[in-house]
Amino acid sequence: MALTRDQIATRVAQEFKDGDYVNLGIGIPTLAANFVPDGISVMLQSENGLLGMGPNPTEEQVDADMINAGKETVTAVTGASIFSSAESFAMIRGGHVDITVLGAFEVDVNGNIASWMIPNKLIKGMGGAMDLVAGAKNIIVTMTHADKHGNSKLLAECTLPLTGVNCITKIITDLAVLEVKNKAYYLLERAPGVTVEEIKEKTAGELVVPDNVPEMQF
Amino acid sequence: MALTRDQIATRVAQEFKDGDYVNLGIGIPTLAANFVPDGISVMLQSENGLLGMGPNPTEEQVDADMINAGKETVTAVTGASIFSSAESFAMIRGGHVDITVLGAFEVDVNGNIASWMIPNKLIKGMGGAMDLVAGAKNIIVTMTHADKHGNSKLLAECTLPLTGVNCITKIITDLAVLEVKNKAYYLLERAPGVTVEEIKEKTAGELVVPDNVPEMQF
Amino acid sequence: MAGFDKVVTSYADAMAGLNDNMTIIAGGFGLCGIPEGLIAQIKTMGTSGLTIVSNNCGVDDFGLGILLEDKQVKKMVSSYVGENALFEQQLLNGELEVELTPQGTLAEKMRAGGAGIPAFYTATGYGTPVGEGKEVKEFNGRPYILEESITGDFAIVKAWKADRYGNCIYRHTAQNFNPMAATAGKITVVEAEEIVEPGELDPAHIHTPGIYVDRVILGTFEKRIERRVLAK
Amino acid sequence: MAGFDKVVTSYADAMAGLNDNMTIIAGGFGLCGIPEGLIAQIKTMGTSGLTIVSNNCGVDDFGLGILLEDKQVKKMVSSYVGENALFEQQLLNGELEVELTPQGTLAEKMRAGGAGIPAFYTATGYGTPVGEGKEVKEFNGRPYILEESITGDFAIVKAWKADRYGNCIYRHTAQNFNPMAATAGKITVVEAEEIVEPGELDPAHIHTPGIYVDRVILGTFEKRIERRVLAK
């Protein structure tokens, strides 16, 4: 069975190590904050200038001056720091954020990612995504393996305008966990009950399948 | 009579306008802070990260964490701000300091200045001087008109390694006030009792002398 | 210290000198930390042909979005403009130009503009449409693109507290682009929630030293929240 | 939050991993705001062949100057090294190399190194010995030189207060180069006058967010004054 959004987020959160500084994109990546494993602490960076982002506020805590990069009201955790956008992206561009998790329209076997623009359709802008993929030490892309028409999002070569080149190393989808290297997708894990055949079918770029592909553990 | 150091500093301070942010180099420039005219307020910038430098401290006020760019103990005035060296030079390089006053070994008619290095003799470094001459809106050089052997410091072309090119517009010496433009020194004022002849004699670069050269007013 | 008192008492004085076809650098992220009264004054003045450098362009009826109604904006330099239907319409009609700029590059362009750095290299945008036509240079085997800095005729900034000398502090994440914007205007105007006397702000806590600031005005702020999300 | 507790209790732990021929970025201006105990530890370790990036090199018997005694330093990158007789002697003997760098360029090189900017243009040094051999480019009719950023294997930083997560604040002008140094080390070590619990520092007052810091140690400081000048 393909994973639910919460299950994908749970698998993403297994990538976190204790003490990681993490930037989570909008959507499934943000959900990962709810599934951080026991014994692991991470500190969330929000690119509008907050290190140590906490949960959304209660009614009493709501403060218009306290928002995240998705423009949602948030709180700060104990030990947080707040700074300018220039300082925030100095952190990001300078490689100080340990893990960035973000969604994508497409990725390819060169580690390229397209996530911000669909010509003649979506022209809202890239926000901080280009800086994040250029700067983070470890970038995880999370998305559905194929679009709603069944077309693979794991391509040999991206067709949409790129967000960044040669930067993606790990992909966590509703079907599988894959590593990108040597111009191919290496299948590391499959979702419980999902067959290697289905993953092959929905992966357009070259897929390398080891003899044994374990199921994800939750 | 050639001006004393205090008199040079007094003439320098006449250049200040109310509300100017001013950076003063070591030596005579620093003295100018003591002669700011009545009704004029300036705020002193010290390039190690202090805007609003005050006088040296009393015995009780001395604080090792409170120094100026000359490494002397200082105080801060009311309304001061303290920041990093990167921020300090952002101000300087970005042209936010209104007036910089500094000493020099030599200047020339191209507005070049040499103030930091005498080959095989003085190799201490340029400190912040190169940033100051590259960045300030208005740079005033103050020095003796000639060295102790009577050799002019106002040259046609500098002989020592430069601190900056094409940046000096005004020179205040013990003999005269001059403007640098059109590859010449324009004599604006002479020290009380100093003749145009003496100034001509001690100016190696081309000197433009108007019909009437007023004496400096103190 | 009369020469350092930067407080003005009318919005007309605050924005005096703003003319058609000028460039304005604006602080704020979404609707957070925006100089509401200064934006309203620009609308009142009716200045047109403006280039506005701001991470976002507000929403249809609030923030910089209100300058679209009378087509005062010629060009936006922004990282994200997705909250605004009028914006999209004017863009598709060709009435508005947009230069989409990665958020970190935008922040750094403003900082560099204020700091006398005309250009810098960044890996951000290399190999993407953002990098097209830009100079590329390798450092340690990695390609980077050259990005030029930005300055404006005016910068409009929203502070929490400002003193009469223009020293500013920002509140929480309303800081965002404001400190860089403050450095990048030929004339920098700060609209503050509170104006205090010099000396009331701790010198070590000042986010924007007064040297960058030309005018300070006391504002009142609606502080609209774009996405009010509560704890479950 | 065990993973974020960066406090170490010995200087040996604080500087563990420092090896010969490494590059160290050091905060401080003159003798103000220098990590005295970390410098002493480097002397104790006897590490040699070091490249040290620091605005100054201390004085003969204090600050970075003490590393000259046993010839631990191969190269200094500094703006001003005039306070130190041993320095001058080793320089003239060819035992020490120095790369004189304008103070603002040095500060910006550290900042850029930490911020992922490999190079930037500045007018500082154009037409002088500093500009020799560097790429020149005109912007708006003015020539600028290209300066590359600096990073180090270690950064050593002196803070006033640090919390266990590595968030730091600096006191008065002891801030100087420390915030940039903190961003530019592969391993950044902070020596603080006081270590506090997370939450004790106001998030808006933190000069160096903990993300840049790997280790924090409690120090005791002599805080020698280089030029004690009193009001007349």
Side-chain angles (χ1 to χ4, degrees), chain B residues 48 50 63-69 71-74, chain D residues 29 32 173:
Chain B
N48 59 319
L50 171 59
D63 187 328
D65 291 336
M66 198 68 196
I67 67 169
N68 67 13
K71 288 152 196 157
E72 294 179 354
T73 43
V74 291
Chain D
F29 181 88
C32 180
T173 61

Side-chain angles (χ1 to χ4, degrees), chain A residues 39-53:
Chain A
I40 300 286
S41 295
V42 300
M43 204 170 276
L44 301 179
Q45 205 261 12
S46 187
E47 61 265 31
N48 59 319
L50 171 58
L51 182 67
M53 178 168 63

Side-chain angles (χ1 to χ4, degrees), chain B residues 18-19 21 79 82 87 91 93 96, chain C residues 3 6 114-115 167 183 203 212:
Chain B
D18 195 29
Y21 295 96
I82 296 175
E87 180 64 47
M91 279 174 201
R93 199 190 305 104
H96 304 279
Chain C
K6 296 167 182 180
N167 294 306
T183 70
Y212 293 115

